[in-house]
Amino acid sequence: MAKYEAQGEWLESLPCNHQVLFLTALSHCLTVAGRNSYIPQSEELEHPTHLRRINEIQHRVAACTYELLVNDSTESFRRSIAHWVLDQPDQRMSENMQWAWQTAKERVLKAIAQGSVLQ
């Protein structure tokens, strides 16, 4: 089983409100990962293809979040988010996406453990 498949199963195992929490945290982490595409101290991009790819992933994460909130979500789409984020052929992009996923996951697990998730 590929790593992204196991993570897709993990996401699917969460209650709906925790899925939304995770996807929201993931979206935030993706914006941070996108900043790795910038040339420091400038308005220029070092890795425009990475930023474009991250934008496409963010689009799907936002769509999945919206579908969960309006109760129009499919299991296959939710599971596909892990594939979109974690199945990256480029090493640098892969590291950024793994960081985003893991950081979002840690934040959600911490919020759940603290009981600070809205119901």
Side-chain angles (χ1 to χ4, degrees), residues 69-116:
L69 288 170
V70 298
N71 200 27
D72 188 29
S73 180
T74 65
E75 180 180 338
S76 62
F77 187 41
R78 292 188 303 270
R79 287 178 181 269
S80 77
I81 297 300
H83 181 266
W84 275 96
V85 174
L86 297 171
D87 191 26
Q88 301 297 326
D90 176 271
Q91 181 64 30
R92 181 174 176 167
M93 182 73 168
S94 179
E95 289 170 3
N96 283 331
M97 296 298 93
Q98 288 176 30
W99 172 85
W101 186 277
Q102 190 58 40
T103 301
K105 188 174 180 178
E106 288 168 4
R107 288 178 182 173
V108 167
L109 293 174
K110 180 178 178 183
I112 291 168
Q114 292 175 339
S116 58

Side-chain angles (χ1 to χ4, degrees), residues 2-23:
K3 179 178 182 171
Y4 66 83
E5 290 172 339
Q7 292 303 309
E9 286 183 14
W10 171 80
L11 176 58
E12 186 59 27
S13 74
L14 298 174
C16 182
N17 64 327
H18 293 173
Q19 289 180 22
V20 170
L21 180 64
F22 172 75
L23 292 170

